[in-house]
């Protein structure tokens, strides 16, 4: 397959790839996803701290808060990684980013709403922008 085309005037011209999909800038998705991921990590660490305070004050083990905070941190890191790879396959990455945003909200509920919403919006933008 040659990327040269013969014109009507007999001259040979270089064929230009007009597919915009591969050249599309995904800056909005990347910025929203990274900011949401950072806020998710902060929410997870805050959940760690709340679990530590709870165990110190009430003299109980709060491993559930630690586990949920750890899950939020992991989901946020995965969301940041997926957002950085969004140009590979935007549809699959978009759905996985939305799942990470939902997991942020589920894991740390009130603390993860901001990060979850930002990550979900980044995933939706990846799906609807062609």
């Amino acid at each position: 397959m040659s990327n040269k085309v013969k014109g009507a005037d007999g001259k040979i011209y270089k064929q230009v790839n007009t597919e915009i999909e591969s050249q599309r800038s995904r800056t909005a998705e990347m910025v929203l996803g990274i900011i949401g991921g950072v806020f998710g990590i902060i929410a997870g660490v805050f959940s760690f701290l709340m679990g530590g305070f709870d165990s110190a004050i009430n003299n109980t083990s709060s491993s559930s808060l630690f586990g949920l905070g750890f899950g939020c941190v992991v989901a946020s890191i995965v969301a940041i990684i997926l957002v950085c790879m969004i140009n590979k396959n935007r549809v699959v990455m978009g759905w996985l980013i939305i799942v990470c945003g939902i997991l942020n909200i589920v894991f740390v509920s009130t603390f993860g709403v901001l990060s979850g919403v930002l990550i979900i919006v980044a995933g939706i933008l990846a799906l609807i922008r062609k």
Side-chain angles (χ1 to χ4, degrees), residues 38-70:
V38 169
F39 280 138
I41 292 171
I42 292 170
V45 170
F46 190 69
S47 178
F48 290 155
L49 293 175
M50 294 306 290
F53 289 143
D54 181 48
S55 65
I57 292 172
N58 295 329
N59 203 13
T60 61
S61 76
S62 58
S63 62
S64 64
L65 276 178
F66 179 79
L68 293 174
F70 181 74

Side-chain angles (χ1 to χ4, degrees), residues 5-25:
V5 177
K6 189 172 187 178
D9 57 357
K11 293 182 180 178
I12 297 178
Y13 296 98
K14 186 175 182 181
Q15 185 177 7
V16 178
N17 186 4
T18 59
E19 186 176 324
I20 299 173
E21 177 70 27
S22 63
Q23 300 171 358
R24 181 90 181 183
S25 175

